[in-house]
Amino acid sequence: MTMSQFAISRDGDDPSFLLNSAFCRDAGFEPKAVCRNLSPPKLYAKALAFEPNTQITSSGALATTTGNKTGRSPRDKRIVREPGFEDAVWWGEHSPNYEMDEGTFLMNREAAVDYLNTVDREQDRQEST
């Protein structure tokens, strides 16, 4: 893959950090657009264009509704236990870390990558040209 195969929207920053990463290559991640370090006005514009019920408040803050899921749960971190790293992770009672087997991780990663590879935001590609 080459950089020219991707629509790239950026504010003076090279997105090759993502396109050239071993994780992306190994996982099969092929983004249609890469946005990195966007200015606040561009972030606002994207949120208003793509996130339903997003608005700018009277104080200028960006506000949106998240539905039933309101954010990351502090007691919901799944980690694959691997030799050489397991002593560096807090396991057990009162720990926010839960063991996940490698097969489940790979299945979840594949589902996420498949979804992300299908995201098509025409506006992203138009803005980058």
Side-chain angles (χ1 to χ4, degrees):
M1 289 182 203
T2 65
M3 294 291 287
S4 63
Q5 291 177 285
F6 297 91
I8 301 169
S9 175
R10 58 188 170 144
D11 278 351
D13 216 356
D14 180 3
S16 63
F17 77 101
L18 176 65
L19 300 175
N20 294 330
S21 76
F23 170 78
C24 286
R25 284 192 307 271
D26 294 348
F29 188 51
E30 299 175 1
K32 292 177 176 53
V34 175
C35 301
R36 182 178 185 205
N37 294 335
L38 294 180
S39 64
K42 287 185 179 180
L43 289 171
Y44 273 48
K46 288 193 180 295
L48 292 167
F50 296 118
E51 297 298 328
N53 302 315
T54 298
Q55 51 198 307
I56 300 173
T57 68
S58 61
S59 67
L62 188 65
T64 191
T65 4
T66 59
N68 293 333
K69 308 270 181 179
T70 58
R72 185 187 72 78
S73 170
R75 293 201 40 83
D76 193 24
K77 294 193 292 187
R78 304 295 190 250
I79 300 175
V80 176
R81 190 183 296 251
E82 293 187 58
F85 292 101
E86 65 182 309
D87 290 342
V89 176
W90 176 24
W91 302 103
E93 191 174 352
H94 306 296
S95 166
N97 304 313
Y98 295 92
E99 185 173 355
M100 172 187 281
D101 66 85
E102 187 174 2
T104 301
F105 167 77
L106 292 172
M107 183 176 62
N108 286 327
R109 183 181 75 177
E110 182 179 352
V113 168
D114 286 347
Y115 168 76
L116 291 171
N117 281 341
T118 64
V119 172
D120 184 12
R121 292 191 170 165
E122 185 66 30
Q123 182 177 348
D124 285 345
R125 287 197 304 274
Q126 289 173 353
E127 287 177 0
S128 65
T129 57

